[in-house]
């Protein structure tokens, strides 16, 4: 038994009582059921992630019933990063202000700097994951420069929620650059500022839970908000180790 930052790696052989009357498929079925039973017990106990991949005799996504009866191996690769990525994506969408729906649909997952288009469960353990909204006003919504139906700081709130939900990962907030692709409306990424950025003066009071205006709208002197600059996007950044469990 070994412990890692991401969880627990367990290796155990399965011994199944059989009779001569049993066929190979029947034996494999019994072994497969036992593997799944032990896997599900680990997930239920909280010692293993609910998101995982299965490798049977080294082959990805093959059923446990196909395991060789001669030194065969079923490996469950538990990915806390995939679990956190799915939880973060769901959380951000659920807490998005909805008007046209573009902002809610603008959330994407990036893995090691590239847009992830495969199943989230297939994100390799140990990857750097970014959950980011591609809409050009996502930064305004995050910092409170645009009044919406929800409080600002969606990415920061998601960071706290996911860190508590999946403590095996590390969650942070960064402002990143997107170098290619399209947003939810088909706009080209990255968004290039067309004019000098404006400090709206709009602010959200957490105590009263109301929007107000701190000062009149005015142009900002910040160099990164100058016309022609590429926008940086607030992103939830997730990192972790990995856990493997072999049977």
């Amino acid at each position: 038994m070994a412990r890692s930052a991401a969880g627990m790696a367990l290796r155990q052989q399965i011994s199944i009582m059989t009779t001569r009357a049993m066929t190979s498929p029947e034996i494999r079925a019994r072994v497969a059921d036992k593997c799944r039973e032990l896997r599900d017990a680990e997930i239920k106990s909280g010692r293993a992630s609910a998101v995982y991949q299965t490798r049977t005799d080294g082959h990805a996504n093959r059923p446990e019933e196909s395991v060789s009866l001669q030194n065969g191996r079923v490996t469950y690769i538990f990915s806390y990063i995939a679990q956190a990525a799915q939880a973060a994506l769901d959380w951000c969408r659920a807490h998005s202000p909805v008007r046209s729906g573009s902002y809610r649909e603008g959330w994407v997952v990036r893995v090691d700097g590239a847009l992830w288009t495969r199943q989230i469960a297939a994100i390799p353990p140990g990857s750097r994951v970014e959950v980011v909204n591609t809409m050009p006003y996502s930064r305004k919504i995050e910092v409170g420069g645009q009044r919406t139906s929800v409080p600002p700081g969606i990415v920061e709130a998601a960071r706290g929620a996911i860190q508590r939900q999946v403590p095996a990962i590390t969650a942070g907030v960064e402002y990143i650059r997107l170098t290619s692709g399209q947003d939810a409306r088909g706009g080209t990424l990255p968004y290039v500022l067309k004019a000098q950025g404006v400090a709206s003066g709009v602010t959200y009071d957490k105590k009263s839970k109301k929007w107000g205006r701190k000062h009149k709208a005015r142009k900002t002197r910040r160099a990164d908000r100058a016309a022609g600059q590429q926008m940086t996007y607030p992103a939830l950044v997730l990192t972790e180790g990995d856990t493997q469990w072999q049977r």
Side-chain angles (χ1 to χ4, degrees), residues 175-214:
Y175 283 75
I176 65 173
R177 295 188 181 277
L178 302 178
T179 57
S180 62
Q182 293 183 323
D183 61 32
R185 291 181 178 173
T188 302
L189 298 176
Y191 180 76
V192 177
L193 300 176
K194 296 178 173 59
Q196 182 69 35
V198 174
S200 68
V202 173
T203 185
Y204 182 81
D205 187 284
K206 293 183 179 180
K207 290 185 178 180
S208 65
K209 296 183 179 180
K210 293 182 179 180
W211 290 89
R213 183 172 293 279
K214 189 175 182 180

Side-chain angles (χ1 to χ4, degrees), residues 89-90 92-108 132-133 135 137 141 184:
L89 187 62
D90 293 343
C92 288
R93 286 174 174 169
H95 291 80
S96 292
V98 179
R99 200 168 177 183
S100 68
S102 295
Y103 182 80
R104 182 179 56 190
E105 298 303 317
W107 293 101
V108 299
V132 60
N133 195 290
M135 296 307 294
Y137 45 82
I141 290 178

Side-chain angles (χ1 to χ4, degrees), residues 56-132:
T56 304
D57 292 334
H59 299 283
N61 300 318
R62 283 193 180 179
E64 290 88 340
E65 284 82 358
S66 66
V67 67
S68 172
L69 296 181
Q70 297 295 324
N71 299 315
R73 176 175 292 177
V74 175
T75 303
Y76 296 106
I77 305 174
F78 298 104
S79 177
Y80 286 98
I81 197 70
Q83 179 180 349
Q86 185 65 67
L89 187 62
D90 293 343
W91 194 98
C92 288
R93 286 174 174 169
H95 291 80
S96 292
V98 179
R99 200 168 177 183
S100 68
S102 295
Y103 182 80
R104 182 179 56 190
E105 298 303 317
W107 293 101
V108 299
V109 174
R110 288 161 46 91
V111 176
D112 295 333
L115 180 66
W116 187 257
T117 57
R118 298 166 57 193
Q119 289 185 343
I120 288 182
I123 295 176
S127 301
R128 171 188 163 100
V129 172
E130 298 162 348
V131 180
V132 60

Side-chain angles (χ1 to χ4, degrees), residues 28-42:
R28 287 196 181 92
R30 184 172 292 187
V31 170
D33 288 343
K34 187 62 176 180
C35 286
R36 289 188 285 262
E37 176 187 330
L38 294 170
R39 175 203 68 199
D40 292 345
E42 291 297 303

